[in-house]
Amino acid sequence: MPFRIFGGSMHYFRVPREYWEDRMLKMRACGLNTLTTYVPWNLHEKERGKFDFSKNLDLRAFLSLAAKNGLWVILRPGPYICSEWDLGGLPSWLLQDPEMQLRTTYKGFTEAVDAYFDRLMRVVVPLQYKKGGPIIAVQVENEYGSYAKDPNYMTYVKMALLNRGIVELLMTSDNKNGLSFGLVEGALATVNFQKLEPGLLKYLDTVQKDQPKMVMEYWTGWFDNWGGPHYVFDADEMVNTVASILKTGASINLYMFHGGTNFGFMSGALEADEYKSDVTSYDYDAVLTEAGDYTSKFFKLRQLFSMVIGQPLPLPPMIESKASYGAILLHQYISLWDVLPALLQPIKSEFPVNMENLHLNDSIGQPYGYVLYETVIFGGGHLHTRDHVRDRAQVFVNTMYVGELDYNTVELSIPEGQQGFRQLRLLVENRGRVNYGLALNEQRKGLIGDVFLNKTPLRNFKIYSLEMKPAFMKSLQHVAGWSTVPDYFVGPAFFRGRLWIEQQPQDTFLKLQGWEKGVVFVNGQNLGRYWKIGPQETLYLPGPWLRRGGNEIVIFEEHTAGRIIQSVDIPYLGRTQYVD
């Protein structure tokens, strides 16, 4: 029977589990019949050989819920997913191998993919359509035509799927320029775009004759980078383009229907002319907002799909109200320098070691967060990084802040001090690994080589890992040394306060006016990064992560702290700019 896919993308790992069903009901109410999701390898196998499909990563539960709500599924298991997600979903421990060639048939890569697919396909295979499940198609890799470093790789991924029991339709997905390089025999080629250029869908016919046409990613909005604008895409232009695509008889998937949030340290980065990291919000100016609310795009699309389908659609669910809990005082702080001796054992190394190669976490290294490199210097002078800082370092002599180093600033003057030895400290932040383009193999973080003082390479480091995992955040609460916040304080430091809630908790947004740069934790959950350069000014805090009574808020602030944060009921994602 002819079947037309009206799809929408939503990623289970970007949406609190308690809200999965609400978003699916909104998909149905918009007229969609198919849900499309990526699968993030770096969350499911954080440590090599240890797999996690529980809680918010319970893929089986997510796919079963889609089926229960009348949605078919297109699964995009990668192994690479792009998706503005750290390293495009690839685990950072792959980069421990200095010879690693990601997204190729390099043995070190394929062995890791094989072990991951062995485990992943145990979840996926029983949920295929031919076995009574919702999965009607599986994507082979993702936009490989834009990478195309190994002509044998796509066949390898296709066979990795087939050999493990995938029997549904296979697809590839590429933008126009990558289309002819991303094909693999036996898979339906689909195309990704935002503006429908004349002849674009006909171009698909030149690549594959007489096949059904599908737009796998019709970009409903766009993502934001720190320091840039908040991108929006005009609703009428979007709906008109969708209508034009549907007139050709093609199937479509809206990327994104609901973007959600890059919680924690998981947002990716771009490296075109320069390195630009992605913001925490993945609102994407999509059909639903970051918090799952309707936009004008939703109602315009609902009207369009209802006309195309020719029958009434389910009613849209009621929207959840948002809470404004007002000002929250962060009354206590502890300096990072006081936390170090109490909670962290340094690694000693003659040379600087990048994050991924630190001997930690059962030898998988440190994937995310910050690393502090400490060494002893005599006197001051000229500090030069030779561009070995990834991605940004705050420099301290003892506890005095001296300046910052990054891609653009590679040298600093270290002041001469009193006679004697002093500690030189570099607090290096991994701001997110690049997730798209040809530089994936170069995404090691921390100090990736020597740093020089007066042309002499620094040696004999104490290296502290600041990944800020739940166990660390828990022990931080009980450490001695918390004290009342003074009138003026410069970080790096941890601050804590309490949000008291009398009623059933609701979604809210945290506004960090007066704070400079850092990370927010609520009841141990990492909400993600904030940075005063914007565009994003509020962090989404889902109601299910709050509880009645006291809620513990901890902020790691790198530099200048405010005294309060505001809980507001409206997000502010920054000054807008229309996508050209």
Side-chain angles (χ1 to χ4, degrees), residues 22-206:
D22 171 75
R23 312 308 193 241
M24 291 171 183
L25 290 169
K26 287 169 178 168
M27 278 189 172
R28 297 284 290 131
C30 193
L32 304 185
N33 57 25
T34 303
L35 178 153
T36 304
T37 185
Y38 281 130
V39 180
W41 181 6
N42 56 9
L43 289 188
H44 287 298
E45 194 181 1
K46 286 193 183 98
E47 296 181 26
R48 192 191 283 265
K50 292 183 185 171
F51 297 96
D52 184 1
F53 288 89
S54 67
K55 299 177 185 159
N56 229 92
L57 296 175
D58 191 339
L59 179 59
R60 182 182 283 115
F62 180 73
L63 299 178
S64 304
L65 201 56
K68 177 193 153 201
N69 287 289
L71 290 163
W72 300 109
V73 171
I74 297 173
L75 194 74
R76 310 170 86 190
Y80 161 86
I81 62 171
C82 184
S83 191
E84 291 69 66
W85 194 251
D86 190 274
L87 202 58
L90 301 174
S92 62
W93 46 257
L94 291 166
L95 294 171
Q96 288 186 322
D97 174 356
E99 306 300 316
M100 177 53 68
Q101 299 295 314
L102 301 171
R103 303 179 75 194
T104 69
T105 50
Y106 173 74
K107 190 163 175 274
F109 184 68
T110 57
E111 282 175 353
V113 173
D114 287 342
Y116 167 55
F117 273 13
D118 282 347
R119 178 65 184 86
L120 174 63
M121 293 309 149
R122 282 176 20 208
V123 175
V124 170
V125 165
L127 292 168
Q128 295 178 97
Y129 173 70
K130 291 187 175 68
K131 296 182 185 288
I135 298 172
I136 55 170
V138 176
Q139 187 176 294
V140 183
E141 236 266 351
N142 189 68
E143 296 189 319
Y144 195 68
S146 305
Y147 195 73
K149 287 192 178 186
D150 181 342
N152 302 313
Y153 174 66
M154 285 295 279
T155 303
Y156 155 72
V157 179
K158 178 186 80 172
M159 294 314 296
L161 295 168
L162 296 177
N163 292 340
R164 287 168 178 81
I166 293 296
V167 292
E168 299 305 333
L169 172 68
L170 296 178
M171 294 175 158
T172 60
S173 140
D174 283 284
N175 59 30
K176 184 190 172 190
N177 297 341
L179 201 56
S180 56
F181 304 105
L183 302 171
V184 65
E185 196 179 337
L188 178 74
T190 67
V191 68
N192 305 338
F193 59 82
Q194 187 162 61
K195 309 279 168 102
L196 182 56
E197 297 168 32
L200 183 53
L201 288 172
K202 285 207 173 69
Y203 178 62
L204 262 176
D205 276 334
T206 66

Side-chain angles (χ1 to χ4, degrees), residues 163 183 198 241 263 306 354 496:
N163 292 340
L183 302 171
T241 309
F263 293 115
S306 149
N354 58 292
R496 71 178 173 191

Side-chain angles (χ1 to χ4, degrees), residues 226 280 326 328 330 495 509-522 527-534 536-541 553-558 560-568 570 572:
W226 288 115
T280 300
I328 304 156
L330 286 112
F495 294 78
F509 303 91
L510 299 183
K511 192 167 171 52
L512 288 114
Q513 211 165 349
W515 298 74
E516 194 161 327
K517 185 175 193 311
V519 196
V520 180
F521 298 83
V522 177
L527 297 192
R529 304 175 176 94
Y530 64 90
W531 195 357
K532 73 168 187 189
I533 65 170
Q536 182 177 355
E537 290 186 27
T538 53
L539 288 175
Y540 172 52
L541 171 50
I553 297 180
V554 176
I555 298 179
F556 176 67
E557 166 59 58
E558 294 179 26
T560 313
R563 292 299 300 277
I564 59 168
I565 59 172
Q566 296 281 349
S567 156
V568 295
I570 296 170
Y572 188 66

Side-chain angles (χ1 to χ4, degrees), residues 315-337:
L315 284 174
M318 294 285 289
I319 56 171
E320 300 275 332
S321 57
K322 308 289 178 279
S324 168
Y325 294 115
I328 304 156
L329 177 68
L330 286 112
H331 58 287
Q332 287 189 313
Y333 85 103
I334 184 167
S335 162
L336 176 63
W337 315 123

Side-chain angles (χ1 to χ4, degrees), residues 383-390 410-411 448-452 454-457:
L383 185 69
H384 202 297
T385 69
R386 308 268 172 101
D387 195 25
H388 287 155
V389 166
R390 296 285 181 276
V410 295
E411 50 193 325
I448 60 164
D450 282 330
V451 172
F452 294 79
N454 302 329
K455 301 190 177 166
T456 303

Side-chain angles (χ1 to χ4, degrees), residues 175-281:
N175 59 30
K176 184 190 172 190
N177 297 341
L179 201 56
S180 56
F181 304 105
L183 302 171
V184 65
E185 196 179 337
L188 178 74
T190 67
V191 68
N192 305 338
F193 59 82
Q194 187 162 61
K195 309 279 168 102
L196 182 56
E197 297 168 32
L200 183 53
L201 288 172
K202 285 207 173 69
Y203 178 62
L204 262 176
D205 276 334
T206 66
V207 189
Q208 55 182 13
K209 285 274 183 289
D210 305 322
Q211 291 291 337
K213 289 187 184 56
M214 172 148 185
V215 181
M216 177 60 87
E217 292 184 16
Y218 176 68
W219 303 321
T220 59
W222 203 243
F223 58 92
D224 300 339
N225 304 115
W226 288 115
H230 170 49
Y231 286 109
V232 291
F233 183 48
D234 183 74
D236 290 321
E237 188 181 344
M238 187 208 79
V239 174
N240 292 339
T241 309
V242 172
S244 307
I245 293 165
L246 295 179
K247 274 198 190 106
T248 69
S251 286
I252 191 169
N253 177 62
L254 306 169
Y255 187 99
M256 301 290 297
F257 177 77
H258 172 46
T261 311
N262 301 317
F263 293 115
F265 293 123
M266 298 312 298
S267 45
L270 265 184
E271 196 153 27
D273 308 333
E274 57 176 332
Y275 172 89
K276 289 180 184 170
S277 54
D278 299 335
V279 302
T280 300
S281 169

